[in-house]
Amino acid sequence: MVFVNGCYWHGHDCAKGRSRAKANAAFWAKKIGDNVDRDRKNLATLSSQGWRVLVVWECETKDIDKFSSKLAEELCV
């Protein structure tokens, strides 16, 4: 199973993921925190059910050669 996560919306540790909203900051911080918590729980549940899960971050899709290599490496095991 492959998830492609938006860096900002899922709290990735990249420049885009670390940026924070200035307007209504508390709301967005909670929203993104809830997304991260839900992602963690969903990944744990899927793994416990035997699924192999690959998370791809939005920022990783910018370099198509590197992205293609990652997919090939992860999916062709």
Side-chain angles (χ1 to χ4, degrees):
M1 181 170 293
V2 178
F3 287 101
V4 181
N5 287 350
C7 295
Y8 178 79
W9 300 108
H10 294 269
H12 188 227
D13 188 25
C14 69
K16 192 172 191 176
R18 287 188 305 267
S19 66
R20 296 293 170 243
K22 293 179 179 151
N24 208 1
F27 170 84
W28 289 111
K30 181 179 179 339
K31 172 70 174 155
I32 292 167
D34 289 347
N35 289 348
V36 171
D37 290 342
R38 186 188 65 243
D39 292 343
R40 189 177 298 118
K41 289 174 189 169
N42 288 342
L43 290 174
T45 298
L46 288 166
S47 293
S48 73
Q49 294 175 350
W51 287 91
R52 195 164 141 233
V53 180
L54 172 63
V55 176
V56 175
W57 293 98
E58 172 187 9
C59 62
E60 293 177 314
T61 67
K62 304 302 180 198
D63 181 337
I64 193 66
D65 293 327
K66 190 174 177 181
F67 176 59
S68 297
S69 294
K70 178 180 180 166
L71 285 179
E73 180 180 313
E74 294 290 333
L75 299 175
C76 297
V77 174

